[in-house]
Amino acid sequence: MLDKSFGNIKYLEKSLNASWLRNETISNNISNVNTPGYKRESVAFESILKASMQNIGIEGKVTHEKHLPIGNIGIDHIEPSISKDFNSKYRRDGNNVNIDVEMANLAKNTIQYNMMAQRVSGKLSKLKSIIRDGR
């Protein structure tokens, strides 16, 4: 029963980790806004998570670290990926960081992080209440 109520907490945990990584990446982009030739980085996670969730099926049990996973790989193996944007050029010196876009992305990411943190906090307080009351 608890698995149904709190099963998606792993998804929230992974999303929080990805959001934290995105925050660090955006901050790195902002700090290098005046570095000639710097290429902005971005974090991809939501598309990876969505693709994994659509791939619902039978998951094979891996009994040895060298075994290949069969079927759905599960949330434990989903990780965000960082990529550099080599295709665009924003300035003449090769830097492609737009400070206005980065600041907007930082604000959006902060709001998403706070929302997910509140969801996790709510779920944990619900679990705490269940344990305390015993009902």
Side-chain angles (χ1 to χ4, degrees):
M1 180 173 155
L2 285 178
D3 207 22
K4 288 183 181 178
S5 299
F6 301 100
N8 65 351
I9 201 145
K10 284 188 175 184
Y11 290 101
L12 288 170
E13 176 189 1
K14 288 287 188 172
S15 298
L16 279 169
N17 291 339
S19 185
W20 187 266
L21 179 63
R22 183 175 289 123
N23 190 61
E24 290 177 348
T25 304
I26 293 170
S27 297
N28 191 33
N29 290 342
I30 291 171
S31 66
N32 285 297
V33 69
N34 292 323
T35 304
Y38 180 80
K39 301 299 181 187
R40 72 178 295 275
E41 296 178 335
S42 61
V43 175
F45 177 72
E46 288 78 9
S47 58
I48 297 169
L49 180 64
K50 184 177 179 180
S52 171
M53 290 176 75
Q54 289 176 346
N55 188 19
I56 296 173
I58 298 172
E59 183 177 347
K61 184 174 182 179
V62 178
T63 57
H64 191 270
E65 63 191 32
K66 292 187 178 181
H67 289 170
L68 295 175
I70 300 171
N72 192 3
I73 62 170
I75 186 68
D76 295 330
H77 302 290
I78 297 174
E79 296 296 330
S81 67
I82 299 175
S83 61
K84 283 192 180 244
D85 180 11
F86 291 106
N87 296 328
S88 65
K89 187 190 277 189
Y90 184 67
R91 296 189 333 216
R92 293 175 70 167
D93 64 359
N95 188 314
N96 63 354
V97 177
N98 183 342
I99 190 70
D100 295 328
V101 171
E102 297 299 325
M103 293 301 288
N105 287 341
L106 185 62
K108 178 183 172 185
N109 189 58
T110 302
I111 291 169
Q112 287 177 339
Y113 182 87
N114 289 335
M115 182 267 310
M116 288 182 286
Q118 286 177 355
R119 297 266 324 257
V120 170
S121 177
K123 287 191 176 293
L124 293 178
S125 66
K126 189 186 298 185
L127 181 61
K128 181 179 174 184
S129 175
I130 290 169
I131 291 171
R132 185 179 21 166
D133 294 340
R135 298 181 188 144

